[in-house]
Amino acid sequence: MAGSLPRSPLAPAEFPVLPVIKGVRFAAAAAGVKYQDRADVMLALLDPGSSVAGVFTRSKTRSANVLDCEAKIGSDSTDGAAIFVNSGNSNAFTGRAGEGSVSAICKAISETTGLPETRVFTSSTGVIGERLPHDRIISKVDTLFRSLDETALPDAAKAIMTTDTFAKGAAAEVLINGQPVKIAGIAKGSGMIAPDMATMLVYIFTDAKIATSDLQTLVGALNDRSFNCITVDGDTSTSDTLLMAATGASHVDVTGNAAFEGALRDVFLDLAHQVVRDGEGATKFVEIQVTGAMSDEEAKTHGLSIANSPLVKTALAGEDPNWGRVVMAIGKSGATADRDLLSISFGDVLVAEKGWVSPDYREELGAAEMKKQEITIKVDLGIGSGQSTVWTCDLTHQYITINADYRS
């Protein structure tokens, strides 16, 4: 499926130039896990002294890989680390066999790299419920190790794709006390996107110096304002993983540094938005701004209710300015709302206010907003100071086409 779908109309013009992150090398190879004649496994090898942090799906049916990573994350080990990913098979809902596959892969990577198995982090993405052919993967570990290259992160981005129509990458560089600090990240995700932790598969690397505990706190906070604020279809994956590594190669300590945190936030948001732009069958990129809620949390609840509504999303696909569907989604969210204080805008067009359609609203104005490729829906609850922004896409027939035959 990967690479066989037409490129999303919302895709960036080209893959970005990613800076070399000293202290980490990458490799990709074709193992034939599901896809033929394309790279479907990748390895990242981190130098000793690297910090690794991560957040993971809270799905009750999460994969063996996720459970293994959760058990290993947070260590202050001074050993290096390895991140391994395969696409085409999620190794989820595979019982003891799935655990055995993770163990076998970690052992093979440990033996090849000299790392302890506790410093090997694996991810799998793809079809649920089919045993992972880990022998095919293990046969490629030596090839991956021998081809490691600090410039190969773009190859890794391609290897982790499933129904993605384009590889996703983002980067930033910031000067701290006159010293450059670099950040580069990749992600995959297109469908089954409604994160409840991190999202999809995301791997971010920096040459900054930061302790594991501080990196974990930072990753969790930025994740809540980026990947946890996007949705494509309302479904949370069994395999969602975000791992971030700081190699320390720049020797610049970024603990508590606002400039670094701002640059990292930009990378998180860039990758999160790219996932939405590659939503299966998407033709519209939609930002939903909610203000005036009882709290930020309630604002987010309202925003996600709108973003996940099939009726709202199909109206967006049909370029129909049906603001009544937004009203419906607010009403069902479970968060506090008052009909007579509510206002709704499409872009800068005020559609409804004080519990009724705005007297200045004209249907053709709303319709013009809906024809845009990038749409903003603004909702003000008028009852508090809480606010949140979430991002989504429309729901088209192509989404059904893609998912109806995903396993075939």
Side-chain angles (χ1 to χ4, degrees), residues 349-351 353 357-363 365:
V349 177
L350 181 62
V351 176
E353 60 179 339
V357 63
S358 170
D360 297 324
Y361 176 66
R362 299 292 181 268
E363 186 79 1
L365 299 177

Side-chain angles (χ1 to χ4, degrees), residues 52 56 65-76 82 102-103 105-107 116-122 212:
V52 181
F56 309 91
N65 304 74
V66 170
L67 293 170
D68 184 65
C69 282
E70 285 180 317
K72 294 174 176 176
I73 207 73
S75 167
D76 285 323
V102 171
S103 179
I105 293 168
C106 289
K107 181 180 179 182
E117 290 183 39
T118 54
R119 293 292 283 175
V120 179
F121 303 90
T122 71
T212 300

Side-chain angles (χ1 to χ4, degrees), residues 206-288:
T206 179
D207 57 7
K209 180 181 178 181
I210 183 170
T212 300
S213 58
D214 293 322
L215 182 62
Q216 184 66 46
T217 299
L218 181 57
V219 166
L222 293 180
N223 168 69
D224 281 342
R225 301 198 298 273
S226 56
F227 293 109
N228 257 1
C229 290
I230 66 172
T231 179
V232 168
D233 49 21
D235 286 331
T236 298
S237 171
T238 58
S239 307
D240 292 346
T241 295
L242 185 158
L243 291 173
M244 180 170 178
T247 69
S250 70
H251 305 293
V252 178
D253 193 324
V254 297
T255 307
N257 185 279
F260 174 78
E261 293 179 10
L264 184 58
R265 181 190 63 239
D266 290 344
V267 170
F268 271 55
L269 279 173
D270 191 342
L271 290 172
H273 289 179
Q274 287 187 56
V275 170
V276 174
R277 291 179 181 278
D278 203 17
E280 291 170 340
T283 65
K284 308 283 187 182
F285 178 79
V286 186
E287 180 172 289
I288 301 170

Side-chain angles (χ1 to χ4, degrees), residues 4 24 44 47 69 156 173 191 202 207 224-225 240 242 246 256 259 274 293 298 321 355 371-372 387-388:
S4 64
V24 58
D47 285 354
C69 282
E173 182 173 324
V202 183
D207 57 7
D224 281 342
R225 301 198 298 273
D240 292 346
L242 185 158
Q274 287 187 56
E298 288 212 348
K371 291 185 183 300
K372 295 179 178 178
Q387 57 185 328
S388 180

